[in-house]
Amino acid sequence: MIFVDATPLYDLGQIGELDLLAVFDGDLVIPQAVIDEITVEPAATNLARFLDENAVETAPDVGEFLDDAAQLLDTESETSDAALIAGLLAARDRGEESGFVSDDRRLRAVADGLGATVTSTFGVTTRAAVDSKYFPATQAKRVIRRTDHHGVQMTGRLREQAIGEVDS
């Protein structure tokens, strides 16, 4: 299961590249609480279209883990962050491998601590360039530059590093 946070949905949704999330082998999980956070256009419309066209779990079985996740994050159980971490806790409890896609450092650290494979918006783009013969490095570089242009806060050095990874 691949749990997706709001940050990559916003970043890729703003530039119409949510289909890059299909690069993952596992089932995508985007809890409804995360979906509800995406209200800015065109990201909201692109996300709605993506959800209509792809098999995405929006109501994962988190069992009794929602309160544990909220306590772990020191937040309310109704937050999207708690829903994501509860999903990771439930997956770990079932012995399932999980992935986590987010640009939020705190959530990434927690997910990593729970044993999830963690990546970011740029990791998604890089993986698509490496794994898909239909998504060349030149296109990945354009996506990275477009997300940077649309408000992803990235230093020039970090952007060049991401572009360099696409070339690898």
Side-chain angles (χ1 to χ4, degrees):
M1 300 176 86
I2 311 296
F3 292 85
V4 184
D5 187 23
T7 51
L9 296 175
Y10 172 80
D11 296 342
L12 295 172
Q14 283 296 96
I15 62 168
E17 295 288 349
L18 285 168
D19 287 335
L20 293 178
L21 293 170
V23 73
F24 295 110
D25 294 330
D27 297 329
L28 290 178
V29 179
I30 306 172
Q32 187 62 47
V34 173
I35 294 167
D36 292 344
E37 286 188 12
I38 308 299
T39 58
V40 174
E41 293 297 344
T45 298
N46 287 333
L47 177 58
R49 184 173 54 240
F50 179 78
L51 293 171
D52 285 343
E53 295 173 356
N54 294 277
V56 176
E57 175 63 53
T58 59
D61 179 17
V62 297
E64 70 278 2
F65 294 103
L66 197 55
D67 289 334
D68 294 340
Q71 185 177 13
L72 181 66
L73 295 170
D74 193 27
T75 189
E76 300 296 319
S77 61
E78 296 83 27
T79 67
S80 62
D81 293 352
L84 288 163
I85 299 303
L88 291 174
L89 287 167
R92 184 180 72 171
D93 188 62
R94 292 188 298 265
E96 299 172 354
E97 289 188 22
S98 60
F100 188 70
V101 185
S102 179
D103 296 324
D104 183 307
R105 284 185 181 198
R106 179 176 180 231
L107 288 179
R108 289 167 53 91
V110 171
D112 183 54
L114 294 174
T117 301
V118 178
T119 194
S120 65
T121 301
F122 299 103
V124 170
T125 305
T126 301
R127 181 168 180 162
V130 170
D131 289 355
S132 175
K133 65 181 179 181
Y134 302 109
F135 190 72
T138 54
Q139 179 65 16
K141 289 177 186 179
R142 277 189 230 116
V143 168
I144 290 169
R145 287 186 180 109
R146 287 175 59 211
T147 56
D148 191 34
H149 177 69
H150 278 81
V152 175
Q153 299 301 313
M154 178 185 268
T155 64
R157 180 176 167 211
L158 184 56
R159 184 180 65 206
E160 292 309 313
Q161 179 183 353
I163 290 171
E165 289 178 13
V166 167
D167 285 333
S168 309

